[in-house]
Amino acid sequence: MKLRGLYAITDSQLLAGKFLQYVEAALDGGVTLLQYRDKSSDEARRLREAEALHNLCERYKTQLIINDDAELAARIGVGVHLGQTDGPLTPARALLGRQAIIGSTCHAQLELAEQAANEGASYVAFGRFFNSNTKPGAPMANLELLDQARARLHLPICAIGGITLENAAPLVAHGADLLAVVHGLFGADSAQEVTRRARAFNALF
Ligand SMILES: Cc1ncc(COP(=O)(O)OP(=O)(O)O)c(N)n1
Ligand SMILES: Cc1nc(C(=O)O)sc1CCOP(=O)(O)O
Ligand SMILES: [Mg+2]
């Protein structure tokens, strides 16, 4: 499967009271990857929500990725996204198998991306590219980094951090395969607007 297009990421606060409605609206507009990102420690709720998202993703033929938690990903049978402090890639690959999608946060460091590629990552993520409501303190990345990554890496490149329909096009022009978006997608006033935004993000590729 080609990893290219919109990478929608959930946010439990932003989506409170409209979680599945807004996620389905995004899937309706077209989503390549959907990440379940919940930073709480409510394991029962996390399992329940991840299973609900998995059912929805199967209906829309979208791949589900679990943030941070390789054990939960293994339990459901989906992929995982690991940051630099979320545990090593090699055991996650052994746990999830060769086919699973495993992503790695590389901030603005090509060396981290090369290491992730050697350890079997399916894609590498760089960011943040813009001011982010969701993660304001993340280190900054820039377009030059994307150029260098495109020249040196032979796996899909994901851009993240403050991405909106207004600022996304240069990221794609400089080599991003995946645009990972929380607020610029789900911060909409209606489900119809989420669907419209998802379609518009996909039209950039
Ligand atoms: C696609 C994608 N890229 C980067 C991140 C950030 O991961 P991490 O640095 O582990 O931070 P948290 O998201 O866990 O707060 C991501 N989740 N997804
Ligand atoms: C989860 C996350 N990681 C980032 C990084 O730079 O690694 S930025 C970010 C938040 C993405 O949300 P929004 O689209 O609302 O800015
Ligand atoms: Mg993490």
Side-chain angles (χ1 to χ4, degrees):
M1 187 224 178
K2 204 163 174 225
L3 294 185
R4 192 165 165 82
L6 175 61
Y7 186 169
I9 302 184
T10 68
D11 179 290
S12 303
Q13 279 81 49
L14 187 62
L15 292 174
K18 50 193 181 188
F19 187 71
L20 291 180
Q21 186 201 7
Y22 269 34
V23 169
E24 184 158 11
L27 296 178
D28 207 24
V31 170
T32 300
L33 297 178
L34 175 73
Q35 182 183 124
Y36 175 52
R37 181 173 182 272
D38 176 290
K39 303 301 285 185
S40 82
S41 52
D42 184 341
E43 288 194 15
R45 183 169 58 83
R46 284 165 53 74
L47 176 60
R48 202 171 56 243
E49 290 185 344
E51 280 176 337
L53 290 183
H54 190 212
N55 289 338
L56 213 45
C57 282
E58 287 197 325
R59 277 213 276 130
Y60 284 86
K61 302 200 184 334
T62 294
Q63 301 275 342
L64 179 63
I65 307 292
I66 305 290
N67 189 40
D68 293 339
D69 191 342
E71 301 287 334
L72 178 57
R75 186 158 174 187
I76 295 178
V78 298
V80 71
H81 183 94
L82 297 175
Q84 291 300 318
T85 58
D86 297 326
L89 278 168
T90 309
R93 173 62 70 202
L95 180 68
L96 298 177
R98 278 184 343 137
Q99 301 291 334
I101 298 173
I102 302 184
S104 174
T105 298
C106 300
H107 302 298
Q109 297 177 50
L110 284 179
E111 301 71 26
L112 291 178
E114 281 170 341
Q115 188 186 336
N118 290 336
E119 291 174 1
S122 313
Y123 69 84
V124 289
F126 295 106
R128 66 185 156 97
F129 282 90
F130 306 102
N131 292 335
S132 168
N133 286 319
T134 310
K135 201 156 185 178
M140 291 295 290
N142 58 34
L143 294 176
E144 197 187 342
L145 173 82
L146 278 183
D147 293 333
Q148 292 168 353
R150 190 70 286 164
R152 272 166 61 173
L153 301 169
H154 301 285
L155 77 176
I157 293 170
C158 174
I160 188 167
I163 299 172
T164 66
L165 282 168
E166 286 67 43
N167 63 26
L171 300 171
V172 178
H174 285 261
D177 298 293
L178 292 161
L179 296 176
V181 188
V182 181
H183 211 273
L185 177 66
F186 290 122
D189 285 338
S190 67
Q192 290 76 9
E193 174 62 8
V194 173
T195 304
R196 186 197 72 78
R197 290 184 188 186
R199 287 204 181 104
F201 274 115
N202 282 300
L204 297 171
F205 289 91

